[in-house]
């Protein structure tokens, strides 16, 4: 089936088989009923076609309770199977496991940029370990893109102004195509790359900058001289002057950021918000949108002063404070 012109992409993630199973189920059910309807149309057209000399009177139609129950219950049962099964797969797809490796992705015209937690950066190529859930936090610097890896059966839009996530766990080593699946300008078709799945040992070697590792062609960026993502975020935090208001001892004019990430924050207007990725992002770009209870609306906007990658570095730094 995969010779020359593959009809179906390889299954290379834990989700791939589950997605394919429900897809084939839908195709078979749809195909069966399409054929049944075609056959009935043809059969009745022949059986009841008007013959010369016949009288044209409609026959008496009686209720047929059994038939009505059958054509109600059978489609209901089938659609409920699709609903429950589809929802189960959907929930698994949308909830990354807690022990996921988190990688930041930025889409822009026309490339995919990746940042690993330890600081390694890649363009149009992503190295991941085999058998480990990987969560991607995706942003866009310009227009809507769509991150698509057919072999993993994952596709997620990269939307300007917000974070989206997708996760996968690779089940095969090798190289897999990665596409942009949303028309995003003249070079859209060139916005492609590959995912390189390595054995965990090889992945560790790749992280440490071992050029002998297969697929480690872009060794120039590794190991990162400027530290991990959170380190870079920390430096940015100092450079942008954030550190002069968000003091670590609760004495600053801005709220303390230690332990904030992932927790609910009480706001000045009485509402409560959860300090997730999107909340932190909004608080940096539109600080007036949600003011923490007990604080003034003094913070300036950093819109235009930090790009998506820098936002992700700041986010990684704020996250790292949460763990202390
Ligand atoms: Cu990016 Cu199409």
């Amino acid at each position: 089936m995969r010779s020359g012109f593959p009809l179906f992409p390889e299954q290379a993630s834990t989700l791939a088989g589950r997605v394919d199973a429900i897809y084939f189920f839908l195709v078979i059910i749809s195909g069966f009923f399409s054929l049944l309807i075609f056959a009935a149309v043809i059969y009745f057209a022949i059986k009841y076609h008007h013959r010369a000399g016949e009288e044209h009177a409609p026959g008496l139609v009686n209720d047929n309770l059994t038939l009505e129950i059958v054509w109600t219950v059978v489609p209901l049962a089938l659609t409920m199977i699709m609903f429950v099964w589809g929802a189960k797969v959907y929930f698994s797809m949308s909830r990354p496991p807690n022990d996921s490796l988190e990688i930041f992705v930025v889409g822009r015209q026309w490339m995919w940029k990746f940042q690993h937690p330890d600081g390694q950066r890649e363009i149009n190529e992503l190295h991941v370990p085999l058998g480990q859930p990987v969560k991607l936090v995706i942003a866009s610097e310009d227009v809507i893109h769509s991150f698509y890896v057919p072999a993993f059966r994952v596709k997620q839009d990269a939307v300007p102004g917000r974070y989206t996530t997708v996760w996968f766990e690779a089940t095969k080593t090798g190289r897999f195509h990665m596409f942009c699946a949303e028309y995003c300008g003249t070079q859209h078709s060139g916005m492609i790359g590959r995912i390189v799945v390595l054995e965990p040992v090889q992945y560790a070697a790749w992280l440490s900058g071992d050029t002998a590792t297969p697929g480690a062609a872009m060794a120039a960026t590794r190991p990162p001289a400027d530290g991990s993502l959170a380190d870079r975020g920390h430096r940015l935090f100092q450079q942008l002057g954030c550190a002069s208001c968000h003091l670590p001892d609760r004495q600053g004019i801005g709220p303390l950021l230690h332990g904030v990430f992932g927790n609910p924050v009480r706001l000045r207007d009485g509402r409560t918000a959860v300090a997730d990725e999107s909340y932190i992002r909004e608080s940096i770009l539109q600080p007036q949108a949600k003011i923490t209870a007990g604080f003034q609306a003094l913070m300036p906007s950093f819109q235009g002063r930090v790009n998506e990658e820098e936002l992700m570095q700041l986010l990684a730094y704020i996250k790292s404070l949460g763990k202390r």
Side-chain angles (χ1 to χ4, degrees):
M1 181 160 127
R2 297 200 60 255
S3 60
F5 186 78
L7 203 57
F8 235 72
E10 206 174 334
Q11 294 179 343
S13 79
T14 49
L15 282 170
R18 297 179 62 191
V19 172
D20 287 357
I22 191 164
Y23 177 77
F24 287 130
F25 176 75
L26 295 178
V27 169
I28 288 164
I29 295 289
S30 310
F32 172 77
F33 281 100
S34 301
L35 290 178
L36 189 68
I37 291 165
F38 286 165
V41 166
I42 293 165
Y43 172 75
F44 288 130
I46 293 168
K47 184 168 182 198
Y48 295 108
H49 86 276
H50 180 75
R51 290 179 185 83
E54 264 182 15
E55 211 161 315
H56 206 75
L60 185 64
V61 177
N62 291 309
D63 289 352
N64 187 330
L65 189 63
T66 317
L67 196 60
E68 284 174 17
I69 288 174
V70 167
W71 78 42
T72 305
V73 169
V74 171
L76 179 72
L78 287 172
T79 47
M80 288 318 281
I81 290 171
M82 292 172 192
F83 167 64
V84 173
W85 189 359
K88 278 179 112 166
V89 175
Y90 179 80
F91 285 135
S92 318
M93 287 181 101
S94 46
R95 285 200 202 123
N98 288 332
D99 59 341
S100 298
L101 174 71
E102 199 169 285
I103 294 175
F104 287 106
V105 185
V106 176
R108 56 169 293 193
Q109 289 167 321
W110 288 275
M111 62 177 78
W112 291 107
K113 298 190 283 186
F114 302 93
Q115 298 189 89
H116 291 257
D118 291 341
Q120 292 81 356
R121 281 184 274 200
E122 305 185 75
I123 289 176
N124 290 342
E125 191 169 57
L126 174 64
H127 288 74
V128 293
L130 179 75
Q132 150 92 46
V134 176
K135 174 188 174 188
L136 303 178
V137 177
I138 307 171
S140 167
E141 252 172 47
D142 35 46
V143 299
I144 299 176
H145 303 276
S146 181
F147 182 84
Y148 180 35
V149 185
F152 295 167
R153 308 293 189 275
V154 294
K155 187 193 268 176
Q156 181 58 260
D157 277 7
V159 184
R162 72 159 84 157
Y163 290 132
T164 52
T165 58
V166 74
W167 78 276
F168 58 82
E169 182 181 328
T171 53
K172 280 181 190 170
T173 56
R175 287 154 198 231
F176 304 98
H177 288 295
M178 166 176 88
F179 296 100
C180 175
E182 181 75 47
Y183 181 69
C184 57
T186 51
Q187 300 290 312
H188 157 73
S189 64
M191 197 169 161
I192 53 176
R194 60 185 180 177
I195 299 212
V196 182
V197 181
L198 300 170
E199 295 284 352
V201 180
Q202 288 183 324
Y203 177 71
W206 177 85
L207 280 180
S208 63
D210 180 2
T211 48
T213 307
M218 294 172 65
T221 56
R222 296 179 311 274
D226 49 354
S228 73
L229 213 54
D231 291 342
R232 254 178 253 154
H234 187 197
R235 261 200 312 282
L236 212 51
F237 194 77
Q238 308 283 349
Q239 284 164 15
L240 293 167
C242 317
S244 55
C245 296
H246 295 282
L247 301 177
D249 57 2
R250 287 185 196 276
Q251 300 302 311
I253 58 170
L256 178 79
L257 297 181
H258 289 74
V260 162
F261 187 80
N263 291 313
V265 178
R266 225 158 50 78
L267 303 179
R268 204 166 61 166
D269 57 11
R271 289 180 300 159
T272 302
V274 173
D276 57 7
E277 282 99 348
S278 298
Y279 172 88
I280 305 283
R281 185 181 192 284
E282 183 188 56
S283 297
I284 296 170
L285 300 178
Q286 289 128 35
Q288 316 300 326
K290 296 189 178 80
I291 310 278
T292 307
F295 290 89
Q296 305 275 314
L298 295 173
M299 180 171 157
S301 166
F302 286 80
Q303 188 93 53
R305 295 181 59 190
V306 286
N307 63 30
E308 290 296 340
E309 280 167 278
E310 290 168 335
L311 275 169
M312 287 172 167
Q313 293 164 8
L314 286 169
L315 184 58
Y317 170 62
I318 292 167
K319 274 188 181 180
S320 75
L321 294 175
K323 287 174 202 150
R324 278 171 204 173

